[in-house]
Amino acid sequence: MHELGVTESIAGIVLRHAEMNGARRVIKVNIKLGELTGIVDHYVSFYWDLVTRDTIAQGAELNFDKVPVVAYCQNCREEFRIQEYDLTCPRCGEVASDIISGREFMVESIEIE
Ligand SMILES: [Zn+2]
C-alpha cells in the first residue's frame, strides 16, 4: 500500500502550482492513473482528505483518468490492451516485451479559483 506516499507527492505538486498562480482554493484535480501502477483511486481520495487538511486544496474534487495497460508487439507491430497479465499478442501469438502505457501516475491539470 503506497497510496499515502503518492498522495503526498500529488498534494505537494498541486499546492505548489496553486500557490504560484495565486489561487485561493483548489476546486478540482485531474489525475492520470495507469492500471499497471496498482494504485487504488479510492485510497488516494481517502488520503487526500488527510494530507490537504487546512490547506487551500482541502475539499478539492479528484478526478481519475484511468489509463489501460497497452502492449506493443515487435513481431507484427500490433498494439493491444492487456488483461490479467497476459502479454500474448492476439494477432500473432508472440509475447510482447514492450508496455507502452499503463504506468502513468501524474497530475494532468488542476482547477483553481
Ligand atoms: Zn504480434
Side-chain angles (χ1 to χ4, degrees), residues 11 15 19 24-26 48-60:
L15 287 170
E19 278 160 22
R24 284 181 294 119
R25 198 163 74 87
V26 179
W48 180 261
D49 291 337
L50 293 178
V51 302
T52 62
R53 189 161 291 164
D54 300 325
T55 73
I56 59 170
Q58 182 175 11

Side-chain angles (χ1 to χ4, degrees), residues 83-100:
Q83 270 148 358
E84 297 178 359
Y85 307 103
D86 182 3
L87 287 165
T88 312
C89 174
R91 192 159 143 197
C92 72
E94 288 287 313
V95 175
S97 52
D98 295 336
I99 304 290
I100 56 175

Side-chain angles (χ1 to χ4, degrees), residues 3 8-9 11 14 18 22 25 36 44 50 75 110:
E3 277 85 355
E8 284 173 331
S9 305
V14 167
R25 198 163 74 87
L36 205 60
V44 175
L50 293 178
N75 188 47
I110 65 175

Side-chain angles (χ1 to χ4, degrees), residues 42-93:
H42 171 78
Y43 288 115
V44 175
S45 296
F46 172 77
Y47 287 127
W48 180 261
D49 291 337
L50 293 178
V51 302
T52 62
R53 189 161 291 164
D54 300 325
T55 73
I56 59 170
Q58 182 175 11
E61 181 194 340
L62 299 185
N63 176 52
F64 294 94
D65 179 16
K66 302 267 181 71
V67 183
V69 183
V70 176
Y72 174 73
C73 175
Q74 285 179 324
N75 188 47
C76 71
R77 300 181 181 194
E78 177 87 340
E79 285 182 10
F80 60 97
R81 197 173 159 174
I82 294 185
Q83 270 148 358
E84 297 178 359
Y85 307 103
D86 182 3
L87 287 165
T88 312
C89 174
R91 192 159 143 197
C92 72

